[in-house]
Amino acid sequence: MTRHSSTVKAVVLVNAVSFYSDVPLKFSKGDIPCTEFHFDGIVPTKNGLDFRKAQQPSDDFFIKAWESNASVLCIVGEDDHCLNPQLTDQFLKLVPKEHKHRFHVIKYPGAGHLIDPPFAPHCVASFHKLMGCVLDGGGETKHHSYAQEDSWRRILQFFTTHLVFNNFVQEKCKL
């Protein structure tokens, strides 16, 4: 929603889509369409279903986050089986040159989906209630754990740098 709100100053996408994926988004200025879902792209694995090929958005479906003034940090697990990590690259290619300085990406080889805060267990598989199936999150535990620790530090650093109250945060929270 950063595109539609001037008050948003910093956004972090953690293995997240930069397009509307499941259902159209209801918005006061009209519905924002979602990308087509390709059921034939779902691949069964030993841990659940691999969705990397199920979503193949064209450039038109990506959220034009550069139309806002927000800085964006993308955290990507390169072994994510729920969302194709290359979609972040596709999104970043669309960012106009004059806005690229506000977009940052950190990729973690061997990390899967759901890069949670540090010390949370590596979620190799999860039940998707809406779809009624188990999703394969991908990733190797050692690499995923590193991504959790490193990304958390970098997310805090990103917010400290880009939010208006960063002096308050540094003084009061001792980051």
Side-chain angles (χ1 to χ4, degrees):
M1 290 309 295
T2 182
R3 180 177 167 207
H4 302 289
S5 173
S6 61
T7 60
V8 177
K9 302 297 180 204
V11 175
V12 175
L13 298 172
V14 180
N15 286 77
V17 295
S18 45
F19 55 89
Y20 299 108
S21 61
D22 298 325
V23 295
L25 181 66
K26 301 293 183 186
F27 185 61
S28 61
K29 296 178 184 174
D31 290 356
I32 300 171
C34 61
T35 187
E36 188 176 329
F37 193 83
H38 299 271
F39 286 96
D40 58 337
I42 299 172
V43 178
T45 70
K46 67 178 183 167
N47 293 324
L49 299 177
D50 181 328
F51 275 60
R52 286 178 284 188
K53 294 181 182 173
Q55 295 174 323
Q56 302 167 13
S58 66
D59 291 352
D60 296 336
F61 284 99
F62 284 92
I63 300 166
K64 295 171 181 67
W66 53 86
E67 292 180 354
S68 78
N69 291 323
S71 293
V72 178
L73 173 63
C74 301
I75 304 291
V76 179
E78 290 189 323
D79 193 34
D80 185 342
H81 291 190
C82 292
L83 183 68
N84 187 337
Q86 294 174 345
L87 291 174
T88 299
D89 296 333
Q90 184 180 346
F91 166 69
L92 292 173
K93 285 179 185 174
L94 298 173
V95 177
K97 198 179 268 188
E98 65 270 18
H99 298 288
K100 288 208 185 274
H101 68 280
R102 293 186 290 113
F103 290 78
H104 314 276
V105 63
I106 303 169
K107 296 181 180 182
Y108 293 98
H113 197 65
L114 298 175
I115 299 177
D116 291 318
F119 313 114
H122 173 206
C123 185
V124 178
S126 60
F127 182 74
H128 192 293
K129 188 173 182 178
L130 182 65
M131 302 211 44
C133 62
V134 175
L135 303 181
D136 179 353
E140 301 167 27
T141 300
K142 182 177 180 178
H143 298 290
H144 197 86
S145 296
Y146 171 78
Q148 288 175 306
E149 290 184 45
D150 187 68
S151 67
W152 187 248
R153 178 184 56 79
R154 290 179 177 220
I155 289 167
L156 293 175
Q157 185 177 44
F158 177 80
F159 282 142
T160 300
T161 301
H162 294 286
L163 295 180
V164 175
F165 60 87
N166 73 4
N167 288 338
F168 172 81
V169 171
Q170 288 174 342
E171 290 172 17
K172 302 295 182 190
C173 299
K174 305 292 183 211
L175 290 177

